[in-house]
Amino acid sequence: MERPTWAPQGIDLSVPSVSRMYDYYLGGSHNFEVDRVVARRAVEVFPGLPKIMQANRAFMRRAVRYAVAEGITQFLDIGSGIPTHGNVHEVAQQACPEADVLYVDNDPVAVAHSRAVLENVPRTDIVAADFRQPEAILHSEEAARLLDFGKPVALLLVALLHFLDDEEKPLEKVATLRDALAPGSLLILTHASVDNGPVTADQGDELTEVYRGNGSDLVMRGESEVARFFDGFELVDPGLVPLGHWRPEDAIEDEDPLAFSGIAGVGRTA
């Protein structure tokens, strides 16, 4: 396969990436054929995935606007993926030009493309790091320059935690990040689940197998399990709800049922 000019050297073009698959679901162009093959298989067993991803992004934008309205102007987006239209810095800085946004991802394509997109964007940066090593994120040069952890920060873990199984101790990693946040900070989180929406548990199991068969964990968690990530946070209204039900900005009566798949929530530190 010919390497695209935007693909960093050293990337194995034969290995799919969840970040690039997400880009494909959203209609992006920064993905390889290997990503598209697996993504199409995922859609076969879990119909409507692109719609769910769109609902996930729509929630993220609403939550960022909510954070700004609450007076928060610092954003730490871990597992940020490949930048698309309406990303965190665009939404936050449209509402507050002084907003600071730090992205974090461990996918080289996501990091390289983010750096290109953000090159001339003030008050933004990206760290090549992994959620599994939260201290490296918190003590990075970019975090020290861009974020003040003595003031409230909005921490985004959007469509991330379902890629970590319990053995990787995601609860402990979230707790490490939480303990670094000032009072009044927010946790903005979404998680894959079959508790809501029209998809079945069997379809969830099939989707899990598609991802695992291509080198990535995928864990469907129920509402009670997702709620544990908010330990030490106070959930803001309406609590943990399907994606489309978190503070919708438009009427939802005719919304595609798939928009209510997955779980979303926002919590505040005391």
Side-chain angles (χ1 to χ4, degrees):
M1 178 188 297
E2 183 179 349
R3 183 178 299 274
T5 57
W6 49 263
Q9 294 297 319
I11 290 185
D12 188 343
L13 305 189
S14 67
V15 178
S17 155
V18 295
S19 179
R20 298 192 304 266
M21 289 170 63
Y22 189 65
D23 177 68
Y24 171 78
Y25 295 138
L26 291 174
S29 59
H30 287 78
N31 50 76
F32 305 138
E33 181 59 22
V34 65
D35 306 309
R36 295 188 285 273
V37 168
V38 179
R40 285 193 287 265
R41 173 58 181 153
V43 172
E44 287 178 8
V45 303
F46 207 87
L49 263 180
K51 181 63 179 180
I52 296 172
M53 300 308 175
Q54 292 165 17
N56 184 75
R57 296 288 292 188
F59 159 79
M60 179 274 290
R61 291 190 285 268
R62 296 195 303 274
V64 168
R65 286 192 286 268
Y66 168 79
V68 174
E70 291 292 299
I72 294 179
T73 60
Q74 302 186 103
F75 295 84
L76 176 59
D77 184 2
I78 302 179
S80 52
I82 295 167
T84 58
H85 177 67
N87 216 18
V88 173
H89 73 278
E90 294 176 322
V91 177
Q93 291 175 354
Q94 182 180 31
C96 175
E98 291 76 34
D100 296 303
V101 180
L102 181 61
Y103 294 110
V104 181
D105 209 281
N106 64 352
D107 183 295
V109 169
V111 172
H113 191 53
S114 295
R115 284 179 177 153
V117 169
L118 302 173
E119 184 176 6
N120 296 312
V121 179
R123 312 184 79 106
T124 64
D125 209 340
I126 184 161
V127 176
D130 195 308
F131 167 81
R132 298 171 183 85
Q133 298 177 308
E135 294 87 354
I137 297 170
L138 295 169
H139 300 299
S140 66
E141 177 184 343
E142 293 86 350
R145 177 175 52 80
L146 204 58
L147 302 177
D148 179 356
F149 286 105
K151 298 178 181 179
V153 173
L155 168 64
L156 288 91
L157 303 177
V158 175
L160 171 67
L161 296 174
H162 46 241
F163 292 120
L164 292 94
D165 62 31
D166 291 341
E167 292 182 0
E168 296 181 280
K169 301 181 178 179
L171 286 168
E172 292 185 14
K173 311 304 183 188
V174 173
T176 297
L177 293 164
R178 178 201 65 211
D179 291 346
L181 301 177
S185 295
L186 296 178
L187 171 61
I188 297 171
L189 183 152
T190 66
H191 199 292
S193 178
V194 294
D195 278 8
N196 308 304
V199 293
T200 66
D202 286 344
Q203 288 173 306
D205 290 342
E206 288 185 74
L207 182 63
T208 295
E209 289 305 313
V210 170
Y211 274 82
R212 287 182 176 171
N214 289 276
S216 297
D217 286 317
L218 179 63
V219 183
M220 296 284 177
R221 293 185 172 97
E223 183 176 323
S224 62
E225 295 174 289
V226 175
R228 296 180 64 196
F229 291 117
F230 286 93
D231 287 350
F233 296 89
E234 180 181 355
L235 282 165
V236 304
D237 288 337
L240 285 181
V241 293
L243 290 168
H245 279 300
W246 198 91
R247 298 182 180 235
E249 295 171 346
D250 301 306
I252 61 174
E253 288 81 2
D254 298 324
E255 183 64 71
D256 189 321
L258 287 164
F260 306 110
S261 299
I263 295 173
V266 175
R268 179 181 285 107
T269 56

